[in-house]
Amino acid sequence: MFSSEMISSQQNHVVTTIETIPPETITASPSMVQRIRKLFSRELLVTLALGQVLSLLVCGIGLTSKYLAHEYHANTPVFQSFLNYILLFLVYTTTLAVRQGEENLLAILKRRWWKYMILGLIDIEANYLVIKAYQYTTLTSVQLLDCFTIPVVLLLSWFFLLVRYKAVHFVGVGVCLLGIGCMVGADVLVGRQQGHGDHKLLGDLLVLGGAMLYGISNVCEEFIVKNLSRVEFLGMMGLFGSFFSGIQLAIMEHKELLKVHWDWQIGLLYIGFSACMFGLYSFMPVVIRRTSATSVNLSLLTADLYSLFCGLFLFQYKFSGLYLLSFLIIVLGLVLYTSSSTYVAQDPRVYKHFRNAGHPITDTPTLGPLEPSVTYTSLRQEIEEEPRIRVA
């Protein structure tokens, strides 16, 4: 039916067509499976898992605080924080005390004691305001409004840590905040049956103030654990936190502490709170060093759902399908944010104020390994691909 010449001509035409296709066209667009694997990489899954561990600890802190304030009328936010700082002092401050050389406790205090003193006061008051808010507002409201920490961390990281974000990061944060808005809507629909409406505004204001202080503390923590050490940060928080919270406890809360009707249940709640708080303080620097303060605070938004499920059984909260929808939206935003790495616009003069007190600083960076720059260990590969930005 077909001549051999016609068949040979068609075969030559097919071969010529295949050969003229550029090889980069064939491999330019990866398959859907490859894209999904790249999006849900091992690094991303580990980041999500670490964030959920922190969320569970935050949930434990919220539940024990809520029980102490409403079930046992133990309104002792300063005492609760004081217990945590004492644990930090016993573990980390004593570790610094037995070290030798420049990492010794006395050597650190000589160089930057007043900076850690200010940071300790900020951290104390952040804990005080948020824990105090549990007396006036609902558990869900506290953890919803606490997300005000996120824009604070973003702004401070941009101006002081010189972190530069891409469009996908702002989209991810926006999606997370959209999920929070969905949760607020659900909370409004069912919140009238969840407790203290008369003082809810006061409780909300306390949460917002504490969230702003938490943002300042988180950004300082990120800088310290990535440039100095985790043990130094926790040791200094234990030293100054226990000192100033002890003074605040003696002045403001000694009468409330005497009103507590001590029994094994209240003691167990205080132990549970202290264990969750100590675990959060000890583990958070590890996660921040691996990621960033912004990523950690976005991960903590999922603590709302854990608190809600516990509140359904413990505090007779009403359930709404909007809570599940908001959880999925928050997770989607977190995936978008962590799918791409941030980068740092380096300036050799930026970090002098904390590290080099008392030493002359020049405008030209040193060539030797004297001052390590801020390095985001989980983002190293993408940092190399980004252009360096010089900030005047």
Side-chain angles (χ1 to χ4, degrees), residues 66 70 136-142 144 182-201 204 308 311-312 315-320 322-323:
K66 194 74 173 177
H70 292 280
Y136 302 107
T137 187
T138 64
L139 175 65
T140 306
S141 295
V142 169
L144 288 176
C182 186
M183 268 193 164
V184 171
D187 193 42
V188 169
L189 291 176
V190 301
R192 293 182 179 178
Q193 288 77 25
Q194 291 184 6
H196 301 259
D198 295 337
H199 303 92
K200 199 168 185 296
L201 178 60
D204 293 346
L308 170 69
L312 293 174
F315 305 114
Q316 288 76 49
Y317 286 1
K318 289 188 175 181
F319 179 77
S320 173
L322 291 176
Y323 285 116

Short mmCIF file of all heavy atoms in Angstrom, two decimals, residues 66 70 136-142 144 182-201 204 308 311-312 315-320 322-323:
data_model
loop_
_atom_site.label_atom_id
_atom_site.label_comp_id
_atom_site.label_asym_id
_atom_site.label_seq_id
_atom_site.Cartn_x
_atom_site.Cartn_y
_atom_site.Cartn_z
N LYS A 66 -4.97 28.34 82.82
CA LYS A 66 -6.43 28.49 82.85
C LYS A 66 -7.02 27.76 84.05
O LYS A 66 -7.90 28.29 84.75
CB LYS A 66 -7.02 27.94 81.56
CG LYS A 66 -8.47 28.34 81.33
CD LYS A 66 -8.58 29.78 80.94
CE LYS A 66 -10.01 30.15 80.55
NZ LYS A 66 -10.15 31.57 80.22
N HIS A 70 -9.01 29.82 87.06
CA HIS A 70 -10.46 29.74 87.10
C HIS A 70 -10.99 28.61 87.98
O HIS A 70 -12.05 28.77 88.59
CB HIS A 70 -11.00 29.57 85.67
CG HIS A 70 -10.81 30.78 84.82
ND1 HIS A 70 -11.64 31.88 84.88
CD2 HIS A 70 -9.88 31.09 83.89
CE1 HIS A 70 -11.23 32.80 84.04
NE2 HIS A 70 -10.16 32.34 83.41
N TYR A 136 -8.82 37.08 82.75
CA TYR A 136 -9.86 37.97 82.27
C TYR A 136 -10.49 37.55 80.95
O TYR A 136 -11.59 38.01 80.64
CB TYR A 136 -9.30 39.39 82.11
CG TYR A 136 -8.70 39.95 83.37
CD1 TYR A 136 -7.32 40.08 83.52
CD2 TYR A 136 -9.51 40.34 84.43
CE1 TYR A 136 -6.77 40.59 84.68
CE2 TYR A 136 -8.98 40.85 85.60
CZ TYR A 136 -7.60 40.97 85.72
OH TYR A 136 -7.06 41.47 86.87
N THR A 137 -9.82 36.73 80.17
CA THR A 137 -10.34 36.38 78.86
C THR A 137 -10.24 34.87 78.66
O THR A 137 -9.76 34.15 79.53
CB THR A 137 -9.58 37.14 77.76
OG1 THR A 137 -10.23 36.90 76.50
CG2 THR A 137 -8.15 36.70 77.67
N THR A 138 -10.68 34.42 77.51
CA THR A 138 -10.73 32.98 77.24
C THR A 138 -9.37 32.46 76.77
O THR A 138 -8.53 33.22 76.28
CB THR A 138 -11.78 32.66 76.16
OG1 THR A 138 -11.38 33.28 74.94
CG2 THR A 138 -13.14 33.18 76.57
N LEU A 139 -9.20 31.18 76.90
CA LEU A 139 -7.97 30.53 76.47
C LEU A 139 -7.73 30.73 74.98
O LEU A 139 -6.62 31.04 74.54
CB LEU A 139 -8.04 29.04 76.81
CG LEU A 139 -6.90 28.15 76.34
CD1 LEU A 139 -5.60 28.55 77.02
CD2 LEU A 139 -7.21 26.68 76.62
N THR A 140 -8.78 30.57 74.17
CA THR A 140 -8.63 30.73 72.73
C THR A 140 -8.29 32.17 72.36
O THR A 140 -7.44 32.42 71.50
CB THR A 140 -9.93 30.30 72.02
OG1 THR A 140 -10.28 28.98 72.44
CG2 THR A 140 -9.75 30.31 70.52
N SER A 141 -8.92 33.13 73.03
CA SER A 141 -8.65 34.53 72.72
C SER A 141 -7.20 34.90 73.02
O SER A 141 -6.59 35.67 72.27
CB SER A 141 -9.59 35.43 73.53
OG SER A 141 -10.93 35.24 73.13
N VAL A 142 -6.66 34.36 74.10
CA VAL A 142 -5.27 34.66 74.44
C VAL A 142 -4.34 34.21 73.33
O VAL A 142 -3.47 34.97 72.87
CB VAL A 142 -4.88 33.98 75.77
CG1 VAL A 142 -3.38 34.05 76.00
CG2 VAL A 142 -5.60 34.64 76.93
N LEU A 144 -5.12 33.54 70.22
CA LEU A 144 -5.40 34.20 68.95
C LEU A 144 -4.72 35.57 68.87
O LEU A 144 -4.04 35.89 67.92
CB LEU A 144 -6.91 34.34 68.76
CG LEU A 144 -7.71 33.07 68.47
CD1 LEU A 144 -9.19 33.40 68.41
CD2 LEU A 144 -7.25 32.41 67.19
N CYS A 182 -10.19 33.71 60.58
CA CYS A 182 -11.24 32.69 60.58
C CYS A 182 -11.48 32.15 61.98
O CYS A 182 -12.62 31.93 62.40
CB CYS A 182 -10.84 31.56 59.62
SG CYS A 182 -12.10 30.30 59.37
N MET A 183 -10.40 31.99 62.74
CA MET A 183 -10.54 31.53 64.12
C MET A 183 -11.23 32.58 64.99
O MET A 183 -12.02 32.24 65.87
CB MET A 183 -9.17 31.20 64.70
CG MET A 183 -8.75 29.76 64.53
SD MET A 183 -7.32 29.36 65.54
CE MET A 183 -7.42 27.58 65.50
N VAL A 184 -10.90 33.84 64.77
CA VAL A 184 -11.55 34.90 65.53
C VAL A 184 -13.06 34.90 65.25
O VAL A 184 -13.89 35.07 66.16
CB VAL A 184 -10.94 36.27 65.18
CG1 VAL A 184 -11.75 37.40 65.78
CG2 VAL A 184 -9.51 36.35 65.70
N GLY A 185 -13.42 34.69 63.99
CA GLY A 185 -14.84 34.61 63.66
C GLY A 185 -15.54 33.47 64.38
O GLY A 185 -16.65 33.64 64.91
N ALA A 186 -14.89 32.32 64.44
CA ALA A 186 -15.46 31.19 65.17
C ALA A 186 -15.54 31.49 66.66
O ALA A 186 -16.51 31.14 67.33
CB ALA A 186 -14.61 29.95 64.92
N ASP A 187 -14.53 32.19 67.18
CA ASP A 187 -14.51 32.52 68.60
C ASP A 187 -15.63 33.49 68.95
O ASP A 187 -16.23 33.42 70.02
CB ASP A 187 -13.16 33.11 68.97
CG ASP A 187 -12.95 33.19 70.48
OD1 ASP A 187 -13.31 32.21 71.16
OD2 ASP A 187 -12.43 34.21 70.96
N VAL A 188 -15.92 34.43 68.04
CA VAL A 188 -17.01 35.38 68.26
C VAL A 188 -18.35 34.65 68.26
O VAL A 188 -19.25 34.95 69.07
CB VAL A 188 -16.99 36.49 67.19
CG1 VAL A 188 -18.26 37.32 67.24
CG2 VAL A 188 -15.77 37.38 67.39
N LEU A 189 -18.50 33.68 67.37
CA LEU A 189 -19.77 32.97 67.27
C LEU A 189 -20.08 32.15 68.52
O LEU A 189 -21.23 32.04 68.92
CB LEU A 189 -19.76 32.05 66.04
CG LEU A 189 -19.76 32.75 64.68
CD1 LEU A 189 -19.65 31.74 63.55
CD2 LEU A 189 -21.03 33.59 64.51
N VAL A 190 -19.07 31.57 69.13
CA VAL A 190 -19.30 30.69 70.27
C VAL A 190 -18.68 31.21 71.55
O VAL A 190 -18.79 30.58 72.60
CB VAL A 190 -18.74 29.28 69.99
CG1 VAL A 190 -19.39 28.68 68.77
CG2 VAL A 190 -17.22 29.34 69.82
N GLY A 191 -18.05 32.38 71.52
CA GLY A 191 -17.26 32.85 72.66
C GLY A 191 -18.07 33.36 73.82
O GLY A 191 -17.55 33.48 74.93
N ARG A 192 -19.35 33.71 73.62
CA ARG A 192 -20.12 34.25 74.73
C ARG A 192 -20.34 33.23 75.83
O ARG A 192 -20.57 33.59 76.97
CB ARG A 192 -21.47 34.76 74.22
CG ARG A 192 -21.35 35.97 73.31
CD ARG A 192 -22.70 36.47 72.87
NE ARG A 192 -22.59 37.64 72.01
CZ ARG A 192 -23.61 38.25 71.45
NH1 ARG A 192 -24.85 37.82 71.66
NH2 ARG A 192 -23.42 39.31 70.67
N GLN A 193 -20.28 31.96 75.46
CA GLN A 193 -20.45 30.91 76.45
C GLN A 193 -19.11 30.44 77.01
O GLN A 193 -19.07 29.48 77.75
CB GLN A 193 -21.17 29.71 75.82
CG GLN A 193 -22.65 29.96 75.55
CD GLN A 193 -22.90 30.81 74.33
OE1 GLN A 193 -22.08 30.87 73.42
NE2 GLN A 193 -24.05 31.47 74.30
N GLN A 194 -18.00 31.14 76.66
CA GLN A 194 -16.70 30.66 77.08
C GLN A 194 -16.12 31.45 78.24
O GLN A 194 -14.96 31.34 78.55
CB GLN A 194 -15.72 30.71 75.90
CG GLN A 194 -16.06 29.70 74.83
CD GLN A 194 -15.04 29.69 73.73
OE1 GLN A 194 -14.01 30.36 73.80
NE2 GLN A 194 -15.29 28.94 72.69
N GLY A 195 -16.86 32.30 78.86
CA GLY A 195 -16.35 32.87 80.10
C GLY A 195 -16.47 34.35 80.22
O GLY A 195 -17.42 34.95 79.81
N HIS A 196 -15.52 35.01 80.74
CA HIS A 196 -15.51 36.31 81.38
C HIS A 196 -15.63 37.43 80.37
O HIS A 196 -14.67 38.06 80.01
CB HIS A 196 -14.23 36.44 82.18
CG HIS A 196 -14.09 35.37 83.22
ND1 HIS A 196 -14.36 35.59 84.55
CD2 HIS A 196 -13.73 34.07 83.13
CE1 HIS A 196 -14.16 34.48 85.23
NE2 HIS A 196 -13.78 33.55 84.40
N GLY A 197 -16.86 37.71 79.95
CA GLY A 197 -17.05 38.77 78.98
C GLY A 197 -16.89 40.17 79.56
O GLY A 197 -16.60 41.10 78.84
N ASP A 198 -17.13 40.33 80.86
CA ASP A 198 -17.07 41.66 81.46
C ASP A 198 -15.67 42.25 81.41
O ASP A 198 -15.51 43.47 81.31
CB ASP A 198 -17.54 41.60 82.92
CG ASP A 198 -19.02 41.21 83.00
OD1 ASP A 198 -19.73 41.43 82.01
OD2 ASP A 198 -19.44 40.70 84.07
N HIS A 199 -14.64 41.42 81.51
CA HIS A 199 -13.27 41.91 81.51
C HIS A 199 -12.49 41.43 80.29
O HIS A 199 -11.27 41.41 80.32
CB HIS A 199 -12.55 41.45 82.79
CG HIS A 199 -13.23 41.88 84.06
ND1 HIS A 199 -14.17 41.10 84.70
CD2 HIS A 199 -13.11 43.02 84.79
CE1 HIS A 199 -14.59 41.73 85.78
NE2 HIS A 199 -13.98 42.90 85.86
N LYS A 200 -13.21 41.05 79.25
CA LYS A 200 -12.54 40.48 78.09
C LYS A 200 -11.65 41.52 77.40
O LYS A 200 -10.56 41.19 76.92
CB LYS A 200 -13.57 39.95 77.10
CG LYS A 200 -13.02 38.95 76.09
CD LYS A 200 -14.16 38.26 75.37
CE LYS A 200 -13.64 37.17 74.46
NZ LYS A 200 -12.80 37.65 73.38
N LEU A 201 -12.08 42.78 77.38
CA LEU A 201 -11.29 43.82 76.74
C LEU A 201 -9.96 44.01 77.47
O LEU A 201 -8.90 44.14 76.83
CB LEU A 201 -12.06 45.13 76.70
CG LEU A 201 -11.33 46.33 76.10
CD1 LEU A 201 -10.93 46.05 74.66
CD2 LEU A 201 -12.17 47.59 76.20
N ASP A 204 -7.71 41.14 76.59
CA ASP A 204 -7.19 41.27 75.23
C ASP A 204 -6.05 42.29 75.15
O ASP A 204 -5.06 42.08 74.45
CB ASP A 204 -8.30 41.65 74.27
CG ASP A 204 -9.34 40.54 74.11
OD1 ASP A 204 -9.03 39.41 74.53
OD2 ASP A 204 -10.43 40.82 73.60
N LEU A 308 -8.16 24.29 71.73
CA LEU A 308 -9.60 24.19 71.50
C LEU A 308 -10.10 22.79 71.79
O LEU A 308 -11.11 22.61 72.49
CB LEU A 308 -9.92 24.58 70.06
CG LEU A 308 -11.36 24.28 69.62
CD1 LEU A 308 -12.33 25.20 70.33
CD2 LEU A 308 -11.51 24.39 68.12
N GLY A 311 -10.19 22.34 75.37
CA GLY A 311 -11.25 23.15 75.96
C GLY A 311 -12.64 22.57 75.74
O GLY A 311 -13.54 22.79 76.55
N LEU A 312 -12.83 21.80 74.68
CA LEU A 312 -14.12 21.16 74.45
C LEU A 312 -14.48 20.21 75.58
O LEU A 312 -15.65 20.09 75.97
CB LEU A 312 -14.09 20.39 73.12
CG LEU A 312 -13.99 21.23 71.84
CD1 LEU A 312 -13.83 20.31 70.63
CD2 LEU A 312 -15.21 22.12 71.68
N PHE A 315 -13.40 22.71 79.48
CA PHE A 315 -14.09 23.96 79.78
C PHE A 315 -15.43 24.08 79.06
O PHE A 315 -16.02 25.16 79.03
CB PHE A 315 -13.20 25.16 79.39
CG PHE A 315 -11.85 25.12 80.03
CD1 PHE A 315 -10.70 24.96 79.26
CD2 PHE A 315 -11.71 25.22 81.40
CE1 PHE A 315 -9.46 24.92 79.84
CE2 PHE A 315 -10.46 25.18 82.00
CZ PHE A 315 -9.33 25.03 81.21
N GLN A 316 -15.92 22.98 78.44
CA GLN A 316 -17.20 22.96 77.75
C GLN A 316 -17.29 24.03 76.65
O GLN A 316 -18.31 24.71 76.50
CB GLN A 316 -18.37 23.12 78.74
CG GLN A 316 -18.60 21.90 79.61
CD GLN A 316 -17.57 21.77 80.72
OE1 GLN A 316 -17.29 22.74 81.43
NE2 GLN A 316 -17.01 20.58 80.89
N TYR A 317 -16.21 24.23 75.92
CA TYR A 317 -16.25 25.14 74.78
C TYR A 317 -17.14 24.56 73.69
O TYR A 317 -17.29 23.35 73.56
CB TYR A 317 -14.85 25.35 74.20
CG TYR A 317 -13.94 26.23 75.03
CD1 TYR A 317 -14.36 26.78 76.24
CD2 TYR A 317 -12.65 26.51 74.60
CE1 TYR A 317 -13.53 27.58 76.99
CE2 TYR A 317 -11.81 27.32 75.35
CZ TYR A 317 -12.26 27.85 76.54
OH TYR A 317 -11.44 28.64 77.29
N LYS A 318 -17.72 25.44 72.89
CA LYS A 318 -18.52 25.01 71.76
C LYS A 318 -17.63 24.91 70.52
O LYS A 318 -16.78 25.74 70.29
CB LYS A 318 -19.67 25.99 71.50
CG LYS A 318 -20.76 25.92 72.55
CD LYS A 318 -21.97 26.75 72.15
CE LYS A 318 -23.10 26.58 73.14
NZ LYS A 318 -24.29 27.36 72.74
N PHE A 319 -17.91 23.90 69.73
CA PHE A 319 -17.08 23.64 68.54
C PHE A 319 -17.72 24.29 67.31
O PHE A 319 -18.94 24.39 67.19
CB PHE A 319 -16.93 22.15 68.31
CG PHE A 319 -16.11 21.81 67.11
CD1 PHE A 319 -14.73 21.92 67.15
CD2 PHE A 319 -16.72 21.41 65.93
CE1 PHE A 319 -13.96 21.62 66.03
CE2 PHE A 319 -15.96 21.10 64.81
CZ PHE A 319 -14.58 21.21 64.87
N SER A 320 -16.86 24.75 66.41
CA SER A 320 -17.29 25.30 65.12
C SER A 320 -16.40 24.73 64.03
O SER A 320 -15.19 24.57 64.23
CB SER A 320 -17.22 26.83 65.14
OG SER A 320 -17.47 27.35 63.85
N LEU A 322 -15.39 26.21 61.59
CA LEU A 322 -14.42 27.23 61.18
C LEU A 322 -13.05 27.00 61.82
O LEU A 322 -12.03 27.43 61.27
CB LEU A 322 -14.93 28.62 61.55
CG LEU A 322 -16.14 29.14 60.77
CD1 LEU A 322 -16.59 30.49 61.30
CD2 LEU A 322 -15.81 29.24 59.28
N TYR A 323 -13.02 26.34 62.98
CA TYR A 323 -11.74 26.08 63.62
C TYR A 323 -10.88 25.14 62.77
O TYR A 323 -9.68 25.36 62.61
CB TYR A 323 -11.95 25.49 65.01
CG TYR A 323 -12.39 26.49 66.04
CD1 TYR A 323 -13.64 26.38 66.64
CD2 TYR A 323 -11.57 27.54 66.42
CE1 TYR A 323 -14.06 27.30 67.58
CE2 TYR A 323 -11.99 28.47 67.36
CZ TYR A 323 -13.22 28.34 67.95
OH TYR A 323 -13.64 29.26 68.87
#
